[in-house]
């Protein structure tokens, strides 16, 4: 039994039009996505902006309504997580992309980090304060600063407060929605390493959403590549980075910058080559609407959306 | 992690505590001499008026005394008497009390209705917003003045409370729309989404997460509304659509000035009330402006 199983997930947003605001069409933000998460591992969702990766994460945690499909967590159906049992809701938490808007500016850090504790656990004021201070220490912030407001912290520190809040209930799964894309590079490494540390410490499972392939490679065990709401390729880090099969994945992997200046010309030529291949074989790999085909296994772990004709 | 490691002594915590919103507002008020003076003036006036009014008997003051009509200020009548021989000073005290009470009551009631209405409409959005806003639109198109005039004509006796209620029924829409528009913005922010994933109910998010972020707007709007409501009540009473003479307010005292004789020769009847209205409005506005500045870090002086 998989830890978290997403089956044929679809999230469609209606387009209203006409005089009476009728639904004229749908935007298929996520259109038939299936994957499984293993406990203690990190699963990466990658794709360009608008590919539906964030929507997938938000649908799992209940911030977007699921049009069809199902989400199963440890055997329990949590497709409608807002109605799920509180023990399940406790287990799944989220880290947000923007550390500036995800913390309530009018609340002190104590109140922000204690919010989930107050919702799910009954603690006295004193226990709660001690717990928050422990959490602050866990994320490497000074326990004395719990009476400060979020605006007194830097972006990286604020993101750690967000993480402290997410781990306050000792969850089992954390949906991390581009947790470092709003931070500068030096802080990114700090936050990512820290996320890996607490993963070991608390035996967490991450659903890591991102577009930075370097970060994804560093963090994840399994990767799913999305394009226009559909999967184009799925596999282990090795499968994706050393043996990309789909033309879209190839292009993504080719786009990773190489820091060796001697290879610059080589890289450029390679990228050009992939670009030409992408343009030439686009019609082979995508259907008439420009969408990817269904996934087909090419090895035990590796699935690719290869065209029907073969 | 050791258990006692998380415990930090209270002193270290206090030292790190950053000022709350209220202390920032207070600092701004103290820094702005004019606003601080206005605040002291308002407090003194209210304490004096409400304190003195306890010892004054409204019925006795409004009883007509034909032997002392139109007396100028004297030892017995500090501010003279009106055409019914009623003591102006007593009426001024009771009138200020009534006007202030109405102003505060109307502001509070419109505030509460407006905040809840606007918050619910803005937070839920969609159909809920649509329905609530159409209800609001209905209230908005009702002719306020005409209904108040009709109300005055058909209700034989009304008190401060009923008059406040009728005013409230037509004055809550402004603040409701203001709160709604701001709530529409706030609910899109990530901290609201975060609260949802952390298991807070919609009700809890609305009133403990979103509402504090609207607090500055609410404080400023309600302060400025207070001045407006006192003015509105005085205006209605001046026109004769407010309180009858048996329930004095600042407006009824002003209303005596509609008589040219009173306007020209008996200044003691209407000048004190006019000056008081002017000062009250200015003082409330000064405080309101200081509060407004306190909510915007760029304009702060303190």
């Amino acid at each position: 039994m998989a830890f978290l199983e997403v089956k044929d997930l679809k999230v469609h947003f209606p387009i209203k039009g006409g005089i009476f605001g009728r639904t004229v069409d749908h935007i298929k933000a996520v259109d038939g996505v299936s994957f499984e998460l293993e406990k203690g591992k990190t699963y990466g969702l990658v794709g360009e902006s608008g590919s539906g990766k964030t929507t997938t994460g938000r649908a799992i945690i209940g911030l977007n309504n699921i049009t069809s499909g199902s989400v199963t967590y440890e055997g329990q159906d949590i497709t409608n997580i807002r109605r799920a049992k509180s023990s399940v809701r406790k287990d799944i938490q989220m880290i947000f992309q923007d550390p500036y808007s995800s913390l309530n500016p009018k609340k002190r850090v104590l109140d922000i980090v204690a919010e989930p504790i107050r919702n799910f656990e009954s603690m006295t004021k004193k226990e709660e304060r001690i717990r928050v201070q422990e959490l602050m220490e866990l994320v490497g912030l000074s326990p004395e600063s719990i009476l400060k407001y979020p605006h007194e912290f830097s972006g990286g520190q604020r993101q750690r407060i967000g993480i402290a809040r997410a781990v306050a209930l000792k969850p089992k799964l954390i949906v991390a929605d581009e947790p470092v894309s709003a931070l500068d590079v030096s802080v990114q490494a700090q936050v990512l390493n820290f996320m890996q540390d607490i993963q070991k410490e608390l035996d967490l499972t991450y659903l890591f959403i991102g577009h930075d392939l370097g970060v994804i490679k560093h963090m994840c065990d399994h990767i799913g590549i999305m394009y226009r709401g559909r999967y184009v390729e799925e596999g282990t880090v090795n499968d994706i980075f050393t043996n990309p099969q789909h033309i879209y994945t190839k292009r993504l992997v080719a786009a990773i910058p190489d820091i060796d200046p001697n290879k610059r010309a080589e890289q450029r030529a390679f990228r050009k080559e992939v670009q030409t291949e992408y343009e030439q074989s686009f019609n082979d790999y995508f259907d008439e609407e420009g969408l990817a085909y269904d996934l087909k296994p090419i090895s035990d772990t590796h699935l690719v959306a290869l065209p029907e004709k073969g | 992690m050791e258990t006692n490691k998380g415990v930090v002594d209270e002193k270290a915590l206090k030292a790190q505590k950053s000022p709350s919103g209220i202390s920032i507002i207070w600092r701004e008020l103290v820094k702005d001499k004019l606003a601080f003076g206005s605040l002291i003036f308002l407090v003194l006036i209210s304490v004096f008026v409400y304190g003195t009014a306890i010892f004054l008997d409204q019925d006795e003051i409004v009883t007509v005394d034909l032997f002392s009509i139109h007396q100028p200020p004297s030892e017995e009548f500090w501010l003279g008497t009106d055409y019914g021989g009623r003591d102006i000073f007593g009426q001024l005290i009771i009138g200020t009390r009534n006007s202030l009470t109405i102003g505060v009551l109307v502001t509070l009631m419109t505030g509460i209705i407006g905040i809840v209405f606007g918050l619910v409409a803005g937070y839920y959005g969609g159909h809920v917003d649509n329905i609530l806003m159409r209800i609001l639109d209905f209230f908005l198109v009702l002719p306020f003045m005409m209904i108040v005039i009709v109300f005055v004509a058909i209700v034989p006796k009304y008190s401060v409370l009923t008059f406040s209620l009728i005013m409230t029924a037509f004055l809550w829409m402004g603040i409701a729309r203001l709160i709604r528009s701001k709530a529409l913005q706030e609910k899109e922010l990530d901290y609201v989404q975060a609260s949802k994933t952390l298991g807070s109910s919609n009700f809890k998010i609305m009133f403990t997460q979103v509402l504090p972020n609207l607090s500055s707007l609410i404080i400023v709007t309600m302060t400025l509304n207070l001045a407006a409501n006192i003015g509105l009540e005085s205006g209605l009473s001046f026109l004769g659509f407010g309180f009858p003479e048996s329930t004095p307010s600042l407006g009824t005292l002003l209303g005596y000035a509609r008589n040219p004789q009173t306007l020209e020769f008996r200044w003691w009847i209407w000048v004190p009330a006019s000056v008081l209205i002017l000062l009250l409005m200015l003082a409330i506005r000064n405080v309101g402006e200081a509060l407004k500045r306190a909510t915007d870090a760029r304009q702060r002086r303190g």
Side-chain angles (χ1 to χ4, degrees), chain A residues 36-231:
Chain A
E36 285 178 12
L37 261 66
E38 277 175 63
K39 193 161 169 51
K41 295 280 170 64
T42 303
Y43 189 97
L45 266 184
V46 198
E48 58 189 39
S49 45
S51 61
K53 53 191 194 305
T54 298
T55 312
T56 307
R58 289 168 58 98
I60 291 171
I61 204 158
L63 290 177
N64 283 128
N65 290 327
I66 294 173
T67 312
S68 73
S70 71
V71 183
T72 326
Y73 169 80
E74 285 188 326
Q76 299 177 65
D77 182 45
I78 55 155
T79 310
N80 195 339
I81 195 174
R82 298 272 278 172
R83 298 228 182 91
K85 277 192 298 184
S86 69
S87 62
V88 178
R89 291 173 59 183
K90 251 175 88 168
D91 282 351
I92 305 179
Q93 293 297 324
M94 184 160 179
I95 299 171
F96 286 82
Q97 178 176 6
D98 180 5
Y100 294 93
S101 75
S102 63
L103 304 178
N104 192 337
K106 289 275 173 176
K107 296 275 180 183
R108 294 179 193 278
V109 174
L110 173 67
D111 297 314
I112 291 173
V113 179
E115 190 189 345
I117 301 174
R118 285 171 193 164
N119 281 335
F120 288 107
E121 275 163 45
S122 50
M123 280 190 176
T124 63
K125 285 270 164 221
K126 191 145 195 236
E127 286 169 350
E128 183 185 289
R129 172 173 285 198
I130 290 167
R131 178 94 185 97
V132 171
Q133 286 175 341
E134 281 169 5
L135 285 165
M136 291 294 276
E137 247 172 30
L138 180 72
V139 299
L141 293 172
S142 151
E144 284 101 52
S145 51
I146 56 166
L147 291 180
K148 285 188 174 178
Y149 287 98
H151 66 81
E152 297 171 69
F153 294 89
S154 72
Q157 287 174 321
R158 296 176 65 136
Q159 194 59 300
R160 285 157 185 242
I161 295 171
I163 296 173
R165 174 174 65 181
V167 299
L169 293 169
K170 300 197 175 76
K172 300 203 174 94
L173 170 67
I174 288 185
V175 178
D177 181 11
E178 308 198 21
V180 293
S181 60
L183 308 173
D184 57 77
V185 182
S186 59
V187 186
Q188 280 192 7
Q190 214 182 336
V191 171
L192 289 174
N193 288 336
F194 162 70
M195 281 177 69
Q196 286 185 324
D197 290 345
I198 56 166
Q199 178 169 32
K200 273 180 227 138
E201 199 165 323
L202 303 172
D203 191 26
L204 288 170
T205 309
Y206 285 128
L207 176 62
F208 196 97
I209 299 161
H211 57 251
D212 185 335
L213 284 166
V215 168
I216 295 286
K217 197 176 176 182
H218 177 69
M219 289 292 291
C220 302
D221 305 297
H222 286 84
I223 296 174
I225 312 254
M226 284 184 81
Y227 176 73
R228 295 186 61 181
R230 294 178 65 86
Y231 258 39

Side-chain angles (χ1 to χ4, degrees), chain B residues 52-110:
Chain B
T52 327
I54 298 173
F55 303 107
L56 293 174
D57 183 4
Q58 183 173 324
D59 291 336
E60 194 193 307
I61 284 168
V62 297
T63 307
V64 175
D65 177 6
L66 292 178
F67 295 106
S68 46
I69 290 172
H70 291 324
Q71 299 268 346
S74 64
E75 291 269 302
E76 194 190 352
F77 306 108
W78 290 355
L79 283 173
T81 57
D82 65 4
Y83 74 96
R86 294 168 289 208
D87 181 19
I88 295 291
F89 180 75
Q91 286 195 63
L92 190 66
I93 297 294
I94 300 279
T96 313
R97 187 198 65 181
N98 288 345
S99 288
L100 276 178
T101 310
I102 288 192
V104 171
L105 268 182
V106 170
T107 310
L108 283 181
M109 288 194 292
T110 53

